[in-house]
Amino acid sequence: MRWTTGKSKGLLIGRLLAVALAFTLVAAACGGDDSDDEPAVADSTGGDTPAETTAPPPTTSEGIQTDGFESLGEVTLEVLAESGDEATLERATELFSQRYPNVSFNVTLRAFDDYMQIAPGIIQSDDPPDLAHGNQGYTIDGLLVSAGLIIPLDDYAEVYGWEEAFGSGTLDQYRFNDEGTDFGKGRLWGISAVAEFVGVYYNKEKLAAIGGELPDTFEEFEALLALAADAGELPIQLGNGEGWPALHVYGMVQAAYRPASEIRDWVFGEPGSTVLTDTERQAANTFVAWKDAGYFTEGVNGVGWDDSVAQFINGEGVFLIGGNWNTAVLEEGMGDNVGYFAMPVGPSGIVGGTAALALPWHITAKAEHPDLAAAFIALMMSEDFAAELAAVGRVPARESSVTPSGLLADVAAGAAAVIADEGVTLYADWTTDTMFNTLTAKTQELLGGQITGEQFLEDVQADWEAFFAG
Amino acid sequence: MSRPIGKPSLPDEASIALPALPKARRPQRRGRRAFGGSQPIAFLYLLPAFAFFIAFGVIPLGQAAFLSFYEWNGITDRSFTGFDNYLTVFTDPKIRGALWNSAILIVFYAFLPISVALVVVGLMVRVRIRGQAVYRAVLFLPTILPLTVVAVTWRWIYAPDGPLNRAFDAVGLDGFSRAWLGDFTFALPALGLVGTWVTFGLVFVLFIAGVQKISTEQYEAARIDGAGVVREFFAVTLPSLRREITVALVLTITAALRNFDVVFVTTRGGPGTNTEVPSMFIFRSVFQTRTVGLGAAIGVVLMLELLIVNMAVLWYRRRGEVES
């Protein structure tokens, strides 16, 4: 699991209802129409004898078909997706069906927690979807690769030029060896065009009221925290009931002190990697110092993340450190009063922080038309579609021609700053199969004063050692 | 995730509804003949229920027991590992901690509500209260509410700005206010008290029904002999409630050990690992770390623990009956 769990947890019931409704609509739009109307359409276009009437499909040097899917006749792509991509999929399926009216979609959406529990089982079934989301790390992607349930995308990446577009290193988070036992290396098994960044949201009125200005360095940011505390304001709104929200905060401090490349190596399990370094200790000590200074919400471990977001919207707290998937909720609640910036440069010398690409798209091994599925993915990866992503509130991982407005402009600028410095540090919970549970418990113990910063790092490293030793 | 627990409690659940009826009115003779040997066709009526029990009780239980000897991620081939998973259950400090927490929860789910209910019932014998049906209905309400609803409600009550803290603040006890569910000292007792609240009504209603069966002559005799409230309680009320106490113990201990909903909705085992319970580990093993065999092993251990504790309770009751 990764820390983005929380984004789907808020208003769970409402979301489930929305998903159920969306699913019904999509099913009605695709499935229902398929059976009743489309044979007639096919007749009118003469599509019932496609093999004779259309030219042979164009292929590339690798024998991959990238175009001319009209020749397939009526086909339906089955898609299993996490509900965060609902709006993205609506747009993408619409565009793809405009290009190929013979291709229809059957989309099944599930909320994050639910999705990660059931997806491997569905992908393993005798009748799996053609396309499905996975999740970086050993628990999902590693499992799917080791079981041979998904196909490598290297050839498609070459044909469609994904490595040039996204940066080869950026895609490492979707790589595994063929056994699914070595993360970050080997073939490419998935891809996403969406970036997810953790950054600092701030309440503009509050910041002005304490006489603060946007910080240019990590040091200045710390000074703002002290300034806020002195003014009687809550410096950082944080609800750590789930254990992962504090990890996002820690991740920002970590990247301020420690080179991002070291952090990535640790996540990918490079031999000899450790969090027991001087820079990491400085980060842990700083984090503890913030706790001791009362910079976080009182009773931090007893407040849920969604509640803390609501409190921030209500004017409790000058800063909120969280993922960019909170943007829509915050903008809706605070309007122009909320801004966003990437954590400014600290002793590490670069702008860095917890960030990664979104959940990967996989093509299942049993997909009937893998080239068609890849072409659909390619549409979502395309430069044109980057603008569509921005339009539905997501941060595209490649440059787009459209300049976002409002809070999303801040978020995009912050993301660009991190990318420019190669400061992406990935999600620490991808590291081992138990790391999510270790980290969530340990941040709570750290914030509850049960363990010291040094003990925190030792316990986390113990999980790392146990996994990579065996 | 299999849930092998719960089945043993079925006969007891049936008997909850019964004590309220005066025994003499039951058509016992006819019932006895129907289950006698003269009409074997009666067993046919049991067949559907028995088939369900096999399909959803026995077979999953067997599968869980089988899987507990394997290492399996739920997808690829499993490998036989003998008792390794059981070794992990008993040596992993985190799982042992969860088992210990569930033992503490038994105090809150079983012993606390039973003790309190006994005291209240003992007092009620002396003071006749009007409108008992209303109290019974209200007190029984927590038992019939879905546990997730209960958990969401209590999460709100325990919240830093929730009703409990506001009540403390209002009477000037600000020092007691805290984020209860995020507190390393109070989170587990706080969850335990949710359990007390849930099971108290059931236990109380059970005891009231039991007390109503005690003939008033016994109390009169005790009073003529000069027994006070305390003496009357230990001489008449408590011995007469032995059956109800047994039923209450079995039901509430089962509820304590199988606890999942309340923890999952409120703390997910936190803060740290302070409120971890075995069923949370089963969930994590199967759905998060994908160590299905380990999850199955924890399930089997939990079921055995339930069986042993409940059999001890039943054995204790039988011994008591033989003595008296």
Side-chain angles (χ1 to χ4, degrees):
Chain A
M1 305 270 284
R2 67 211 229 140
W3 315 337
T4 50
T5 317
K7 68 180 163 174
S8 59
K9 211 181 298 165
L11 306 168
L12 185 64
I13 294 170
R15 253 178 180 271
L16 286 176
L17 284 176
V19 169
L21 181 65
F23 178 50
T24 316
L25 290 176
V26 172
C30 303
D33 290 358
D34 277 352
S35 50
D36 302 337
D37 305 339
E38 294 201 7
V41 176
D43 282 345
S44 66
T45 54
D48 49 348
T49 52
E52 289 168 38
T53 52
T54 43
T59 55
T60 68
S61 52
E62 284 85 8
I64 290 172
Q65 184 184 348
T66 58
D67 211 341
F69 293 104
E70 295 90 347
S71 64
L72 291 173
E74 292 299 322
V75 286
T76 302
L77 274 178
E78 302 276 342
V79 181
L80 179 66
E82 196 267 331
S83 50
D85 260 351
E86 187 179 347
T88 310
L89 275 174
E90 266 171 30
R91 198 70 196 105
T93 53
E94 193 186 326
L95 288 172
F96 201 75
S97 289
Q98 278 172 17
R99 173 80 180 76
Y100 299 108
N102 59 318
V103 178
S104 53
F105 290 86
N106 193 0
V107 179
T108 306
L109 295 162
R110 295 292 180 113
F112 184 89
D113 280 357
D114 207 17
Y115 188 92
M116 291 311 154
Q117 286 157 27
I118 61 165
I122 296 177
I123 295 170
Q124 187 204 17
S125 69
D126 291 334
D127 186 24
D130 301 291
L131 282 164
H133 272 136
N135 194 359
Q136 294 97 321
Y138 289 93
T139 46
I140 304 285
D141 280 1
L143 183 68
L144 297 176
V145 171
S146 71
L149 296 175
I150 54 177
I151 62 171
L153 305 181
D154 301 78
D155 292 345
Y156 296 116
E158 200 178 328
V159 170
Y160 291 111
W162 289 337
E163 295 208 348
E164 298 81 67
F166 294 91
S168 179
T170 313
L171 300 183
D172 283 349
Q173 56 189 291
Y174 300 127
R175 292 184 197 284
F176 262 105
N177 64 348
D178 289 1
E179 290 74 39
T181 52
D182 198 357
F183 180 34
K185 297 168 224 48
R187 295 206 265 182
L188 183 76
W189 300 89
I191 194 161
S192 168
V194 176
E196 292 184 336
F197 281 80
V198 176
V200 187
Y201 292 94
Y202 65 100
N203 183 319
K204 289 180 181 171
E205 283 171 15
K206 296 260 175 198
L207 187 64
I210 63 169
E213 286 178 4
L214 285 184
D216 290 322
T217 65
F218 185 73
E219 213 178 347
E220 286 180 28
F221 178 73
E222 277 199 278
L224 285 178
L225 297 179
L227 197 62
D230 290 344
E233 292 286 348
L234 170 65
I236 298 177
Q237 175 64 249
L238 176 63
N240 194 38
E242 296 88 345
W244 54 259
L247 279 178
H248 289 165
V249 180
Y250 180 77
M252 304 312 279
V253 183
Q254 182 194 35
Y257 283 97
R258 197 170 176 198
S261 60
E262 277 183 39
I263 302 171
R264 288 196 296 265
D265 284 350
W266 186 81
V267 170
F268 285 140
E270 290 293 335
S273 295
T274 177
V275 291
L276 298 168
T277 67
D278 287 345
T279 51
E280 187 89 39
R281 285 190 180 95
Q282 285 176 325
N285 290 339
T286 301
F287 185 73
V288 172
W290 287 8
K291 174 203 70 128
D292 290 340
Y295 289 171
F296 301 129
T297 310
E298 205 185 326
V300 56
N301 286 328
V303 185
W305 173 252
D306 289 341
D307 291 337
S308 65
V309 172
Q311 292 287 337
F312 183 71
I313 291 172
N314 286 338
E316 292 254 342
V318 181
F319 300 107
L320 176 81
I321 296 179
N324 65 347
W325 50 88
N326 294 292
T327 299
V329 175
L330 290 171
E331 192 162 37
E332 193 185 316
M334 302 172 77
D336 294 339
N337 191 29
V338 58
Y340 174 101
F341 55 83
M343 184 61 84
V345 60
S348 71
I350 58 167
V351 178
T354 301
L357 296 188
L359 304 179
W361 285 109
H362 297 305
I363 300 175
T364 60
K366 287 181 183 163
E368 218 172 309
H369 306 290
D371 288 357
L372 176 68
F376 177 62
I377 295 180
L379 176 133
M380 290 191 281
M381 300 302 123
S382 67
E383 202 174 341
D384 290 346
F385 197 72
E388 304 280 351
L389 285 173
V392 296
R394 310 215 78 182
V395 176
R398 64 190 290 172
E399 278 182 44
S400 103
S401 50
V402 175
T403 319
S405 59
L407 185 55
L408 211 55
D410 283 3
V411 174
V418 178
I419 291 174
D421 277 8
E422 294 185 359
V424 169
T425 59
L426 308 176
Y427 289 86
D429 60 305
W430 296 345
T431 311
T432 75
D433 58 351
T434 51
M435 194 58 88
F436 178 80
N437 292 328
T438 300
L439 287 169
T440 51
K442 290 302 163 189
T443 57
Q444 289 187 331
E445 289 176 4
L446 188 60
L447 286 175
Q450 308 290 304
I451 53 173
T452 62
E454 180 71 18
Q455 189 66 46
F456 171 74
L457 297 179
E458 279 175 15
D459 291 348
V460 170
Q461 188 62 24
D463 183 313
W464 195 97
E465 305 284 352
F467 185 81
F468 291 107
Chain B
M1 186 171 25
S2 68
R3 268 244 186 119
I5 47 181
K7 276 292 165 196
S9 65
L10 268 183
D12 298 313
E13 269 163 22
S15 65
I16 305 168
L18 292 179
L21 289 171
K23 267 197 168 157
R25 266 189 237 157
R26 267 189 239 159
Q28 288 194 344
R29 279 196 60 207
R30 223 170 53 179
R32 200 172 293 149
R33 206 180 334 138
F35 287 102
S38 58
Q39 285 178 314
I41 196 165
F43 285 101
L44 268 182
Y45 293 108
L46 294 177
L47 205 60
F50 194 64
F52 265 88
F53 177 60
I54 296 286
F56 297 104
V58 176
I59 291 176
L61 181 59
Q63 282 174 330
F66 175 79
L67 286 174
S68 68
F69 294 104
Y70 287 85
E71 189 185 318
W72 189 39
N73 60 20
I75 300 288
T76 51
D77 291 342
R78 52 176 182 256
S79 58
F80 185 77
T81 53
F83 282 92
D84 277 9
N85 287 325
Y86 289 96
L87 208 64
T88 309
V89 173
F90 291 112
T91 53
D92 186 327
K94 277 182 276 184
I95 300 176
R96 274 196 314 199
L99 287 167
W100 173 244
N101 285 345
S102 70
I104 292 176
L105 286 179
I106 290 180
V107 174
F108 285 97
Y109 273 69
F111 297 131
L112 192 58
I114 288 176
S115 310
V116 176
L118 278 176
V119 171
V120 177
V121 165
L123 291 173
M124 281 179 65
V125 170
R126 285 275 171 147
V127 191
R128 285 287 159 203
I129 298 170
R130 291 189 176 275
Q132 269 196 25
V134 178
Y135 289 115
R136 273 209 299 257
V138 171
L139 282 168
F140 199 67
L141 200 64
T143 310
I144 56 166
L145 284 176
L147 277 178
T148 27
V149 174
V150 170
V152 170
T153 310
W154 279 91
R155 190 175 64 189
W156 169 70
I157 292 173
Y158 283 137
D161 57 348
L164 182 62
N165 283 333
R166 260 182 274 155
F168 276 127
D169 294 347
V171 294
L173 292 172
D174 312 35
F176 282 98
S177 302
R178 64 194 70 231
W180 296 92
L181 295 174
D183 190 289
F184 278 83
T185 311
F186 290 101
L188 188 61
L191 286 191
L193 285 173
V194 176
T196 308
W197 183 78
V198 168
T199 56
F200 177 77
L202 170 76
V203 172
F204 188 62
V205 168
L206 213 54
F207 290 173
I208 286 191
V211 160
Q212 282 170 345
K213 285 190 311 186
I214 306 171
S215 67
T216 45
E217 283 95 348
Q218 286 192 44
Y219 285 110
E220 277 165 22
R223 277 167 215 178
I224 288 167
D225 286 346
V229 185
V230 178
R231 193 64 201 266
E232 186 182 288
F233 175 75
F234 283 105
V236 181
T237 313
L238 193 59
S240 307
L241 284 178
R242 204 188 291 121
R243 277 167 180 280
E244 284 74 17
I245 293 173
T246 312
V247 171
L249 272 176
V250 169
L251 288 177
T252 52
I253 289 173
T254 306
L257 289 181
R258 68 194 288 183
N259 185 347
F260 175 77
D261 331 44
V262 174
V263 173
F264 188 77
V265 173
T266 52
T267 63
R268 295 214 167 191
T273 53
N274 264 38
T275 58
E276 289 284 8
V277 288
S279 50
M280 276 300 292
F281 270 95
I282 299 176
F283 172 78
R284 290 219 185 93
S285 300
V286 176
F287 290 112
Q288 288 186 1
T289 57
R290 299 195 184 270
T291 44
V292 177
L294 180 62
I298 303 172
V300 170
V301 170
L302 189 60
M303 187 204 64
L304 289 177
E305 190 184 343
L306 255 171
L307 261 179
I308 291 167
V309 172
N310 281 336
M311 272 164 66
V313 170
L314 290 171
W315 171 80
Y316 188 74
R317 167 188 142 179
R318 292 225 176 85
R319 206 189 58 164
E321 273 177 358
V322 170
E323 275 172 8
S324 57

